[in-house]
C-alpha cells in the first residue's frame, strides 16, 4: 500500500522491504496530517491518499490509526462484532448446524419449563444463535507481556476477520524499547502487514526502518 500527503514530497510504500518511519518535528504539519486522516476515518473528505496497485482505497475501510497504547484495547467493538459474525456463520454451517438446532431447542424447552407457572404465556421470539453468541460476552484474551506482540496479534485478527489494512502508529517508539521496536518491525515485515510509523521526535535508527524526517523548518531528509 502507498500513502501520500500533498505537503510531504514523498510516497510512502509499505512494499519497500522496510518499515517507513516518518519523523515530523514541525507541530503544525504533524497535527494537520493526523487531522486529515482522522477526518477521513470519520467519513469526511481529505487530502491524504491511500492506494494499492494504482487503485485508490477508501481510508475509512482500509486504514487504522493506532495512537492509544495505555491501554491498548485489543477488544475493539468492530473486531468483536466481526468475530461474533464469524462464530454465527460457523454455527449454522454444515459441520455444526444439527448441534446448533439441538442446543436452541434445549434452551427454549428449558426457558418454557422455568416459566411454566407464570400467569402469562411467554414467547422467546428472539432466541437464535446470534443473540446467544452476543450475550455470551465474546472477548479476546488480552494478557500480554509485550505491547509490540499485542499490536501484532491485533493486526493478525483484523486481517483474518476483516481485511488487510494500513496501520499508522503514532509515537509508538515512545512506549517500547529499541529492542522491542526492532522485533516488532521484523515481525511486521515477515507477516507482510502494512505499517507506517509516525513519530514526533527521533529515536535510535534501526536496521529495519526507512526513516523520513521533516524538521521544524519543513526541510525533508530521507535515509
Amino acid at each position: 500500500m502507498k500513502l501520500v500527503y500533498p505537503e510531504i514530497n514523498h510516497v510512502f510504500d509499505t512494499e519497500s522491504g522496510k518499515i517507513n518511519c516518518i519523523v515530523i518535528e514541525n507541530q503544525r504539519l504533524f497535527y494537520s496530517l493526523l487531522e486529515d486522516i482522522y477526518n477521513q476515518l470519520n467519513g469526511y473528505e481529505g487530502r491524504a491518499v491511500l492506494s494499492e496497485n494504482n487503485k485508490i482505497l477508501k481510508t475509512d475501510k482500509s486504514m487504522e490509526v493506532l495512537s492509544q497504547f495505555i491501554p491498548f484495547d485489543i477488544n475493539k467493538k468492530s473486531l468483536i462484532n466481526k468475530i461474533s459474525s464469524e462464530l454465527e456463520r460457523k454455527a449454522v454451517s454444515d459441520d455444526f448446524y444439527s448441534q446448533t438446532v439441538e442446543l436452541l431447542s434445549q434452551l427454549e424447552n428449558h426457558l418454557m419449563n422455568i416459566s411454566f407457572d407464570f400467569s402469562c404465556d411467554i414467547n422467546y421470539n428472539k432466541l437464535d444463535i446470534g443473540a446467544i453468541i452476543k450475550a455470551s460476552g465474546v472477548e479476546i484474551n488480552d494478557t500480554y507481556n509485550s505491547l509490540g506482540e499485542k499490536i501484532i496479534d491485533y493486526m493478525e485478527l483484523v486481517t483474518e476477520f476483516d481485511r488487510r489494512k494500513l496501520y499508522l502508529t503514532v509515537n509508538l517508539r515512545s512506549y517500547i524499547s529499541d529492542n522491542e521496536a526492532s522485533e516488532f518491525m521484523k515481525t511486521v515485515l515477515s507477516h507482510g502487514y502494512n505499517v507506517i510509523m509516525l513519530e514526533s521526535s527521533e529515536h535510535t535508527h534501526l536496521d529495519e526502518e526507512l526513516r523520513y524526517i521533516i524538521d521544524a523548518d519543513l526541510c525533508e531528509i530521507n535515509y
Side-chain angles (χ1 to χ4, degrees):
M1 292 182 178
K2 295 179 181 179
L3 179 68
V4 296
Y5 186 63
E7 294 189 46
I8 302 176
N9 298 314
H10 189 76
V11 177
F12 299 99
D13 186 356
T14 60
E15 302 297 327
S16 63
K18 291 196 174 186
I19 302 296
N20 289 275
C21 251
I22 313 171
V23 179
I24 302 180
E25 297 175 344
N26 182 282
Q27 293 95 332
R28 183 203 61 80
L29 179 59
F30 187 87
Y31 174 81
S32 64
L33 171 60
L34 282 176
E35 182 185 42
D36 182 282
I37 291 173
Y38 271 115
N39 285 340
Q40 292 193 52
L41 292 176
N42 287 296
Y44 298 101
E45 296 295 323
R47 295 186 296 160
V49 177
L50 177 64
S51 65
E52 186 173 32
N53 299 323
N54 297 317
K55 179 182 177 182
I56 295 178
L57 303 176
K58 292 180 68 66
T59 302
D60 58 341
K61 300 293 184 183
S62 300
M63 185 175 182
E64 285 196 32
V65 175
L66 306 181
S67 59
Q68 180 175 322
F69 301 110
I70 300 178
F72 179 74
D73 185 14
I74 198 171
N75 284 288
K76 297 183 186 294
K77 184 177 179 180
S78 57
L79 178 57
I80 295 301
N81 287 341
K82 294 288 184 182
I83 293 174
S84 296
S85 295
E86 181 62 16
L87 287 169
E88 183 177 355
R89 186 196 67 78
K90 288 192 70 175
V92 297
S93 67
D94 291 343
D95 291 337
F96 296 98
Y97 181 76
S98 61
Q99 294 168 263
T100 298
V101 170
E102 182 180 358
L103 174 64
L104 291 174
S105 177
Q106 290 175 350
L107 182 55
E108 183 175 17
N109 288 335
H110 181 63
L111 291 172
M112 295 296 289
N113 288 336
I114 62 177
S115 63
F116 179 75
D117 58 351
F118 287 9
S119 58
C120 59
D121 288 331
I122 298 179
N123 294 318
Y124 302 95
N125 297 321
K126 295 184 179 180
L127 184 60
D128 61 51
I129 193 62
I132 293 174
I133 290 171
K134 290 178 181 177
S136 70
V138 176
E139 191 173 76
I140 303 161
N141 181 6
D142 65 350
T143 303
Y144 288 82
N145 294 321
S146 163
L147 174 60
E149 289 179 6
K150 191 174 186 179
I151 297 171
I152 290 291
D153 279 2
Y154 175 73
M155 294 176 183
E156 181 179 3
L157 290 168
V158 172
T159 302
E160 179 180 356
F161 293 104
D162 190 0
R163 67 179 71 196
R164 292 177 67 251
K165 292 185 178 184
L166 172 68
Y167 302 92
L168 179 70
T169 67
V170 181
N171 285 330
L172 176 59
R173 292 291 301 272
S174 296
Y175 295 86
I176 59 179
S177 68
D178 293 343
N179 286 338
E180 186 175 354
S182 178
E183 292 303 314
F184 172 79
M185 292 181 188
K186 288 176 183 176
T187 305
V188 166
L189 293 170
S190 66
H191 284 73
Y193 298 139
N194 300 290
V195 173
I196 293 176
M197 301 180 71
L198 176 63
E199 303 287 332
S200 57
S201 60
E202 283 201 78
H203 295 270
T204 304
H205 189 279
L206 302 174
D207 292 339
E208 296 80 19
E209 70 173 292
L210 286 175
R211 183 168 296 183
Y212 198 84
I213 302 172
I214 301 101
D215 68 15
D217 297 320
L218 297 177
C219 296
E220 301 185 19
I221 307 166
N222 186 13
Y223 72 95

